[in-house]
Amino acid sequence: LISPCYGQITDTVGTATTFWQRIDLSRSGKALCEVINDSSSTAYMLVAVTAQDTVGDQTRHQSRVNNYESILFTTNQKYVYVKVSTGTASFRIKTY
């Protein structure tokens, strides 16, 4: 059984832009994270778990999240980085 450790975590406005944004997960140690793209637009989000993965030549380390989809991953990083392909997208980040 997986239960939330810290509840839902979002950035202050819950909106991703076309620029990389760093989101503080407000926890330390290993955790299961979920990034949810709540946007109704066709824009997709990119997610990276280290600042180094946000660089253009590191796209193989970026995960794509289409609108109304989510991804789960385990990380021991303090931050998650998000950006959207065009315009803006509403999103949520949860840790378990």
Side-chain angles (χ1 to χ4, degrees):
L1 178 65
I2 298 174
S3 60
C5 301
Y6 297 93
Q8 179 177 311
I9 299 170
T10 71
D11 73 343
T12 54
V13 294
T15 303
T17 68
T18 57
F19 301 98
W20 285 106
Q21 297 168 257
R22 183 176 77 176
I23 310 303
D24 189 334
L25 296 177
S26 300
R27 55 116 196 103
S28 61
K30 194 172 186 179
L32 178 65
C33 294
E34 181 178 21
V35 175
I36 306 159
N37 183 347
D38 287 327
S39 179
S40 60
S41 72
T42 57
Y44 62 86
M45 290 177 54
L46 292 174
V47 179
V49 294
T50 69
Q52 294 84 358
D53 293 340
T54 64
V55 179
D57 65 354
Q58 297 298 310
T59 56
R60 67 185 178 280
H61 299 292
Q62 299 168 11
S63 297
R64 180 178 170 144
V65 185
N66 293 318
N67 56 314
Y68 294 129
E69 292 184 354
S70 67
I71 60 168
L72 285 168
F73 57 93
T74 302
T75 183
N76 59 2
Q77 301 295 319
K78 181 178 167 118
Y79 302 106
V80 168
Y81 300 83
V82 297
K83 79 172 185 174
V84 70
S85 58
T86 60
T88 59
S90 300
F91 75 95
R92 291 176 285 145
I93 296 178
K94 294 182 180 184
T95 59
Y96 301 94

